[in-house]
Amino acid sequence: MKGIVFTEFFDMIEQEFGYEMVDTLLNESELPSGGTYTAVGTYSHIEMVNLLVTLNHKTEVPIPHLLQAFGRYLFQRFTKTYSHLINKAPDAFTLLGSIHNYIHVEVRKLYPDAELPHFDIEQPNDNTLIMHYSSGRSMGDLAYGLIEGAMKHYGEKATITQELLSEDGSRIKFVIVK
Ligand code: HEM
């Protein structure tokens, strides 16, 4: 997982809980890399999981909620740092439908070693988008928060339901209805 994901995560933690929590997470989590993240470095996604476990112990907020909140925060950050990619899409479904074939393709050009999920897209009608997520990192809750962030960015309301297609969370079907 790219360092940029970790640096954004710590920025969110500092905003939400203050710098002491950043310090606590760094000191009390199992972090084989040593916990000094640079934006272009690459680290095991297990370190993110370990940071979430510590944050869950400290705050008692369930891990899926923490990861969804991070997804919403991250999308809002992407609207600043990757505005050139997001501005090409006129609405949320166009953006969400283009993640796999465009946005993450551009991300890979910037970071050749990025570990990106796979999305298959179906749009059965104007109001419904179906996203089939698959990834060995099982970060569906992050995807959920990113989808929420995208809907909010475009000022669109939708209900998002998720169906687990494999027990380990590596395959999830998201149905987004406007
Ligand atoms: C402009 C918009 C976006 C940009 C620039 C972007 C970029 C990235 C980057 C840099 C990573 C980290 C790769 C790594 O750590 O190696 C990532 C991972 C990820 N992205 Fe995107 N992304 C965008 C939109 C989205 C959206 C809207 C979704 C939700 C459907 C999404 C789903 C994910 C997920 C779930 C991961 C975690 C890795 C995994 O599950 O395997 N992304 N993305």
Side-chain angles (χ1 to χ4, degrees):
M1 182 162 255
K2 295 309 296 176
I4 181 199
V5 180
F6 289 87
T7 54
E8 293 293 357
F9 177 76
F10 284 116
D11 285 350
M12 179 189 77
I13 298 299
E14 189 171 351
Q15 274 181 34
E16 288 291 312
F17 302 99
Y19 187 75
E20 300 71 43
M21 184 62 91
V22 173
D23 216 37
T24 305
L25 294 184
L26 287 171
N27 288 326
E28 298 186 20
S29 309
E30 172 84 29
L31 303 172
S33 74
T36 43
Y37 301 101
T38 66
V40 292
T42 302
Y43 309 87
S44 166
H45 77 284
I46 300 294
E47 296 202 9
M48 180 55 71
V49 175
N50 293 345
L51 288 163
L52 289 162
V53 168
T54 311
L55 186 60
N56 162 257
H57 286 158
K58 299 289 164 193
T59 61
E60 291 179 8
V61 179
I63 289 177
H65 291 194
L66 293 169
L67 207 45
Q68 288 174 11
F70 179 45
R72 290 191 294 272
Y73 176 88
L74 194 58
F75 189 84
Q76 187 266 325
R77 289 290 300 141
F78 284 163
T79 63
K80 308 278 188 291
T81 50
Y82 296 97
S83 56
H84 60 292
L85 300 181
I86 292 176
N87 290 344
K88 289 212 170 72
D91 52 54
F93 279 7
T94 307
L95 179 106
L96 293 171
S98 73
I99 288 165
H100 195 63
N101 291 328
Y102 174 55
I103 291 182
H104 279 172
V105 173
E106 294 301 313
V107 169
R108 186 170 303 290
K109 288 183 195 164
L110 292 173
Y111 307 112
D113 59 350
E115 295 180 310
L116 296 160
H118 189 98
F119 285 104
D120 280 322
I121 304 293
E122 280 171 68
Q123 187 164 2
N125 59 57
D126 285 355
N127 296 325
T128 310
L129 190 77
I130 301 176
M131 300 178 78
H132 285 266
Y133 165 88
S134 75
S135 163
R137 288 162 296 284
S138 299
M139 298 228 150
D141 290 311
L142 184 66
Y144 190 102
L146 284 160
I147 295 168
E148 286 184 315
M151 299 307 300
K152 181 162 185 235
H153 172 69
Y154 286 98
E156 296 179 36
K157 288 225 178 321
T159 51
I160 309 165
T161 50
Q162 49 176 331
E163 185 187 333
L164 223 56
L165 301 179
S166 66
E167 244 174 55
D168 62 0
S170 63
R171 292 189 308 117
I172 299 171
K173 177 181 175 182
F174 291 99
V175 180
I176 307 154
V177 181
K178 280 202 282 195

